[in-house]
């Protein structure tokens, strides 16, 4: 367990990521990739799960006290298994487990503290970089780090 924490803010054009990992704290600014399924609910996530060539529905499980549907997928001949645990009330992903049998590794992502349809002032989603952290801006053609 690495204890990694990640905050992502999407402003409609760019994705800002603040990530705390064992090696330090990093900040990134990227353009949203249209083919990327980095959503935690909704039709795009369900379409991606449904596109798996080997998909099964497993018994329901509780995640942090919330009932979830469990979709199990197997890819690359069973060398990669991904379980998606989707909240039965909201349709949002509560947990994802990725088992890579080639590397003998398991990654577990847990999503919590959802607040549906909150109201915020417009400036609430302005990304503010913590002091001492340099932004790695991949939206610039030169790749130089710049502040947003």
């Amino acid at each position: 367990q690495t204890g990694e924490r990640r905050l992502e803010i999407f402003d409609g054009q760019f994705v800002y990521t603040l990530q705390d990992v064992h090696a330090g704290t990093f900040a990134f600014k990227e353009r949203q990739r249209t083919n990327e399924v980095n959503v935690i609910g909704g039709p795009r996530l369900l379409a991606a799960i449904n596109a798996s060539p080997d998909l099964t529905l497993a018994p329901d499980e509780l995640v942090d006290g919330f009932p979830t549907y469990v979709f199990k997928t197997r890819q690359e001949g069973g060398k990669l298994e991904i379980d998606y645990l989707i909240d039965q009330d909201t349709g949002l992903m509560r947990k994802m487990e990725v088992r890579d049998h080639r590397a003998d590794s398991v990654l577990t992502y847990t999503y919590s503290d959802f607040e549906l349809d909150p109201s915020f002032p417009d400036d609430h989603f302005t990304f503010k970089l913590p002091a001492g952290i340099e932004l790695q801006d991949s939206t610039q053609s030169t790749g130089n780090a710049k502040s947003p």
Side-chain angles (χ1 to χ4, degrees):
Q1 179 167 352
T2 64
E4 177 180 317
R5 296 184 81 54
R6 180 180 183 117
L7 170 69
E8 287 188 345
I9 297 175
F10 179 55
D11 68 3
Q13 182 178 5
F14 300 108
V15 177
Y16 297 91
T17 303
L18 183 62
Q19 188 170 12
D20 288 320
V21 294
H22 67 281
T25 300
F26 303 92
F28 305 94
K29 176 183 177 183
E30 300 177 282
R31 293 192 189 284
Q32 173 69 31
R33 292 182 286 278
T34 57
N35 62 346
E36 188 175 87
V37 181
N38 62 349
V39 295
I40 59 170
R44 286 184 60 206
L45 174 64
L46 295 176
I49 293 171
N50 195 42
S52 175
D54 188 355
L55 172 66
T56 58
L57 181 63
D60 297 350
E61 290 185 26
L62 288 178
V63 176
D64 295 329
F66 296 94
T68 64
Y69 299 112
V70 181
F71 298 95
K72 293 185 170 284
T73 67
R74 294 169 49 98
Q75 301 171 15
E76 300 180 26
K79 296 176 184 170
L80 185 66
E81 298 177 4
I82 304 174
D83 296 350
Y84 300 91
L85 289 79
I86 309 297
D87 189 293
Q88 292 181 5
D89 292 328
T90 65
L92 297 173
M93 185 167 21
R94 287 276 173 190
K95 186 175 181 179
M96 180 173 64
E97 292 183 353
V98 180
R99 286 177 298 290
D100 187 340
H101 297 289
R102 299 164 299 195
D104 195 29
S105 67
V106 177
L107 296 173
T108 302
Y109 301 89
T110 304
Y111 303 90
S112 61
D113 301 326
F114 297 118
E115 189 173 337
L116 302 177
D117 296 323
S119 60
F120 296 103
D122 290 339
D123 67 347
H124 184 80
F125 292 103
T126 301
F127 183 71
K128 295 177 181 113
L129 197 59
I133 302 299
E134 185 176 349
L135 180 69
Q136 298 176 36
D137 187 348
S138 67
T139 65
Q140 305 296 317
S141 60
T142 62
N144 294 333
K146 297 183 179 181
S147 295

